[in-house]
Amino acid sequence: MRTSRLEAFSDGVLAIIITIMVLELKVPHEPTLEALRGSATGFLTYLLSFVYIGIYWNNHHHMFHVVEHVDGTVLWANLHLLFWLSLLPFTTGWMGENHFARWPTMLYGANLLACAIAFTVLQASIIRHCGRQGALAQAVASDLKGKISPAIYFAGMACAWFLPAWTGMAFFVLAALIWLVPDRRMERAIRAHEPGQG
Amino acid sequence: MRTSRLEAFSDGVLAIIITIMVLELKVPHEPTLEALRGSATGFLTYLLSFVYIGIYWNNHHHMFHVVEHVDGTVLWANLHLLFWLSLLPFTTGWMGENHFARWPTMLYGANLLACAIAFTVLQASIIRHCGRQGALAQAVASDLKGKISPAIYFAGMACAWFLPAWTGMAFFVLAALIWLVPDRRMERAIRAHEPGQG
Amino acid sequence: MRTSRLEAFSDGVLAIIITIMVLELKVPHEPTLEALRGSATGFLTYLLSFVYIGIYWNNHHHMFHVVEHVDGTVLWANLHLLFWLSLLPFTTGWMGENHFARWPTMLYGANLLACAIAFTVLQASIIRHCGRQGALAQAVASDLKGKISPAIYFAGMACAWFLPAWTGMAFFVLAALIWLVPDRRMERAIRAHEPGQG
Amino acid sequence: MRTSRLEAFSDGVLAIIITIMVLELKVPHEPTLEALRGSATGFLTYLLSFVYIGIYWNNHHHMFHVVEHVDGTVLWANLHLLFWLSLLPFTTGWMGENHFARWPTMLYGANLLACAIAFTVLQASIIRHCGRQGALAQAVASDLKGKISPAIYFAGMACAWFLPAWTGMAFFVLAALIWLVPDRRMERAIRAHEPGQG
């Protein structure tokens, strides 16, 4: 099976997730600045989730760039990732409406953690399909970010539990910032892979 | 007419269906674990419907892989399938909100049944268009899953009616599990078809 | 400008319109058959609008099949059509919630009329761009359906005003049925055009 | 990285934004003309935002037409633009529900301003990536519209603050009209670029 239709479907789902999250931002009924202020936390959580979906789209894009064929296992591992990502509008909305209360912040962290695990599973299933010598296997050989992120999410969840919940948010923002730094390894692998194709 | 635009449109609709279902998961207003528990059945039904849309996307993908041209009848048979699939967010939402009550569970089963019939109709219309000797006709010659599924949905609906409604759900989960097992016949047909093209 | 990206964008918008209409189908709160019955008119109007979007997608698909380049005017004529189509979820929802009351039925007819006019404008803008000798100009030379439809919508609106509103609906269903019959002329034009390309 | 997948993703997001805005148009509960009249400002703001998204899609389309490769910075500059555009349903809904009150009109202007700035940033990031000699750099050398628009948005926000808020709207409509006039410069650049590719 070629990856093109899988990529197109994933792009479609990610485009929808990133956009419908704004529907959870409830339009205030009063035309005042105070009413708008009530949407402020909703806005911040929307921004954070938007960045996360952007990061996943970016990483997804890079990962499948070095893959040519997929099998049924990869396809379901991909749907598994999309499932957890599709819950982000729900968990984002709950956290945004409750101004970073304890349980919603915990759940948001758990959702991020599930996405990270699903991405690792997807990566592993691709590597098993393409072989240990494939471009992807070498690119992720020392996948530092992928190993650090879950630890950060765990730390954030612990903070949200024992300390004021916004401290947990600080960790989730931190993890996003780490991912925003472009993944040089992957880009190098792509560049090394490209001439091999041509 | 080529299948590419039909596939792209179907992918778009399926991507949207699979994603907007999460909008039926109402964000709880309280930041407590109890409030979240009220969303638990909603979450489980969302998960089941997500898997079903994934299965249909997968099967749709496989089916059109061995087809090159379609006519107006196939196009409308495809829209007919998309119609029943597009009702899944509605029936899923009703069942999820009412914690597997009798009528919503019946309706959910009826919706799955309608999707299964629509898929069979689509398959038949493609086979009529491509001829009995086509790759698809041979691949589905002994379409065991396609024949068993409606029986399972019927059994589920009967159970939902006479027994506690969650017993019906067990059948719907069972049918999904049967489909999750990859369809070896179709994959073999694709592999046999591929060299014929190249 | 090539038509491919315009087609992809239109497909995306149509796929979303056809799918989000189901969100206007309010999930009933009671798990009873009576509560579901309240969604019956909503379901019927959803079905009708689904068929209309399917027809427009089909016609759109056929029309751009015989076009290779577009200019800015065609692009905005296309967005103009998408605008009126994007209002269908709103007018469908209003009519469905009010069980075919007079004003909602009138508005629904007006929306269908606006879509029909926008489609004619789009057709005209393409013909002006491609020239009177183009494949499309010849295909629509005797565009009977395109001329009859607005008359039917007008008749439906008049009936909805003077008679019980469901009589207007009968006309809207009739117009959909006329369009469901495949457009032989266009298919013949495509077939005549295809060898010219190859 | 090729631009095709970035374009497809952006098209998806824009198609969704342009379509889900209609969900902020609340379906009136009464089947009367008065109830519909309450949706009139909502309809007008929807129309304006629809035109704006159409303009951005159009400009985006033209801009990436003369670009062949993008890097990570361009990709995030593009997501940054999509973020501000994705807030349009929210700000449009707030303004439409409050019949052009002061604060919502200000916020809408601020949103348009943020989109304009994000578009300029995206343009600059592409030019930096492709070099000052690229087709885009020459096309936007005297980007009059891009420089005038922010000034118009500022004027509109000032009017919305000191005068009745609908005067601000007049400026936002004016800016849209200016953009609707097709960008001859860009089209010329594309035409000059095309033969270089073939």
Side-chain angles (χ1 to χ4, degrees), chain C residues 80-178:
Chain C
H80 177 237
L81 171 64
L82 293 180
F83 175 74
W84 291 112
L85 289 172
S86 80
L87 285 176
L88 271 181
F90 176 81
T91 53
T92 302
W94 200 34
M95 188 168 66
E97 237 182 55
N98 290 293
H99 311 274
F100 310 126
R102 201 166 69 165
W103 276 108
T105 309
M106 293 279 292
L107 189 73
Y108 187 74
N111 197 351
L112 289 180
L113 186 61
C115 292
I117 292 170
F119 193 82
T120 308
V121 168
L122 174 57
Q123 222 170 35
S125 76
I126 292 174
I127 289 174
R128 216 186 43 178
H129 177 64
C130 297
R132 289 249 145 239
Q133 309 310 321
L136 183 65
Q138 292 172 4
V140 302
S142 56
D143 185 9
L144 196 62
K145 283 181 189 177
K147 277 164 200 149
I148 283 182
S149 304
I152 299 181
Y153 300 143
F154 265 120
M157 287 166 75
C159 282
W161 186 254
F162 294 109
L163 303 173
W166 64 262
T167 56
M169 278 302 290
F171 280 87
F172 306 150
V173 170
L174 175 73
L177 290 178
I178 289 176

Side-chain angles (χ1 to χ4, degrees), chain B residues 114-195:
Chain B
C115 293
I117 292 171
F119 194 82
T120 307
V121 168
L122 174 58
Q123 221 170 36
S125 75
I126 292 174
I127 289 174
R128 215 185 45 178
H129 178 63
C130 298
R132 290 248 144 242
Q133 308 311 321
L136 183 65
Q138 291 172 5
V140 302
S142 55
D143 184 9
L144 196 61
K145 283 181 191 177
K147 278 164 199 148
I148 284 182
S149 304
I152 300 180
Y153 299 143
F154 265 120
M157 287 167 74
C159 283
W161 187 254
F162 294 110
L163 303 173
W166 64 262
T167 56
M169 279 302 289
F171 280 87
F172 305 151
V173 170
L174 175 72
L177 290 178
I178 289 176
W179 277 106
L180 275 183
V181 180
D183 202 329
R184 297 290 172 211
R185 270 175 307 116
M186 200 69 87
E187 288 198 350
R188 234 178 299 131
I190 290 168
R191 238 171 292 135
H193 186 64
E194 215 90 65

Side-chain angles (χ1 to χ4, degrees), chain A residues 1-2 5 9 13 16-17 20 23-24 75-76 79 82-83 86-87 90 93-94 97-98 101 103-104 107, chain B residues 7 11 15-16 19 22 25-33 43 46-47 50 55 57-58 60-61 65 180:
Chain A
M1 200 185 302
R2 287 153 307 164
R5 207 179 160 189
F9 184 74
V13 171
I16 299 157
I17 294 173
I20 62 170
L23 294 177
E24 302 289 354
L75 202 140
W76 279 103
L79 277 171
L82 293 180
F83 175 74
S86 79
L87 284 175
F90 176 82
W94 199 35
E97 237 182 54
N98 290 293
W103 276 107
L107 189 71
Chain B
E7 283 186 290
D11 277 7
I16 298 157
T19 322
V22 86
L25 263 186
K26 295 285 169 294
V27 174
H29 293 293
E30 304 289 302
T32 62
L33 201 56
F43 176 79
Y46 174 57
L47 174 59
F50 192 99
I55 289 168
W57 176 68
N58 205 342
H60 193 271
H61 187 42
H65 201 105
L180 275 183

Side-chain angles (χ1 to χ4, degrees), chain B residues 38-92:
Chain B
S39 299
T41 46
F43 176 79
L44 290 178
T45 54
Y46 174 57
L47 174 59
L48 183 60
S49 295
F50 192 99
V51 169
Y52 265 112
I53 300 283
I55 289 168
Y56 274 100
W57 176 68
N58 205 342
N59 289 348
H60 193 271
H61 187 42
H62 275 91
M63 188 162 64
F64 279 96
H65 201 105
V66 294
V67 177
E68 269 151 59
H69 300 94
V70 295
D71 61 357
T73 313
V74 172
L75 202 140
W76 279 102
N78 187 55
L79 277 172
H80 177 237
L81 171 63
L82 294 180
F83 175 74
W84 291 111
L85 288 172
S86 79
L87 285 174
L88 271 182
F90 175 81
T91 53
T92 302

Side-chain angles (χ1 to χ4, degrees), chain D residues 142-164:
Chain D
S142 56
D143 185 9
L144 196 61
K145 284 181 188 178
K147 277 165 200 149
I148 284 183
S149 303
I152 299 181
Y153 300 143
F154 265 121
M157 287 166 74
C159 282
W161 187 255
F162 294 110
L163 303 173

Side-chain angles (χ1 to χ4, degrees), chain C residues 38-51:
Chain C
S39 300
T41 46
F43 175 79
L44 290 178
T45 54
Y46 174 58
L47 174 58
L48 183 61
S49 295
F50 191 98
V51 170

